[in-house]
């Protein structure tokens, strides 16, 4: 069985194409639930982010490496803007990398 920790580990390999920092350290991933499906609750830095469609593909590509996962059937990615993303959600490492 896949664990939450394994999913978080794989999500740390997904880089924001513009910022070149992983989506976990950016604070874009709010919650991961592993049950019948892997459910990822996440946000974007802005509601009008032009790269929104890419994240679905990047995340599924990363999770495809987990054993026994059919990403089209087993992975559900839900976007939310509640709460809205702020730079305070970034890890200290991400803030340092971006000069915050």
């Amino acid at each position: 069985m896949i664990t939450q920790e394994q999913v978080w580990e794989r999500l740390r390999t997904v880089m924001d194409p513009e910022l070149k920092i992983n989506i976990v350290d950016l604070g874009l991933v709010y919650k991961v639930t592993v049950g019948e499906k892997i459910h990822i609750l996440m946000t974007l830095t802005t509601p009008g982010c032009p790269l929104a469609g890419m994240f679905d593909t990047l995340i599924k590509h990363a999770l495809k490496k987990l054993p026994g996962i059919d990403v089209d059937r087993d992975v559900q990615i839900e976007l939310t803007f509640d709460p809205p993303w702020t730079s305070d959600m970034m890890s200290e490492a991400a803030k340092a990398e971006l000069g915050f």
Side-chain angles (χ1 to χ4, degrees):
M1 169 135 183
I2 302 299
T3 66
Q4 280 186 339
E5 291 78 23
Q6 288 173 303
V7 175
W8 282 104
E9 183 179 312
R10 295 303 310 147
L11 291 174
R12 283 185 181 86
T13 70
V14 178
M15 297 294 177
D16 179 287
E18 289 183 322
L19 300 175
K20 307 295 187 229
I21 295 174
N22 76 71
I23 62 174
V24 173
D25 283 341
L26 280 175
L28 299 180
V29 181
Y30 289 167
K31 186 176 180 182
V32 171
T33 307
V34 177
E36 285 184 35
K37 292 185 181 265
I38 296 170
H39 181 259
I40 299 164
L41 181 64
M42 67 174 293
T43 194
L44 302 171
T45 54
T46 62
C49 177
L51 301 174
M54 288 186 68
F55 285 105
D56 189 73
T57 301
L58 293 170
I59 289 168
K60 287 183 176 181
H61 179 73
L63 295 181
K64 200 182 273 190
K65 298 186 179 185
L66 293 172
I69 296 296
D70 176 338
V71 292
D72 294 322
R73 183 192 69 223
D74 300 332
V75 176
Q76 179 184 23
I77 301 166
E78 179 183 353
L79 269 179
T80 186
F81 294 99
D82 183 25
W85 180 88
T86 68
S87 59
D88 291 338
M89 296 174 170
M90 293 189 297
S91 70
E92 291 304 316
K95 288 178 186 177
E97 177 98 10
L98 294 174
F100 281 78

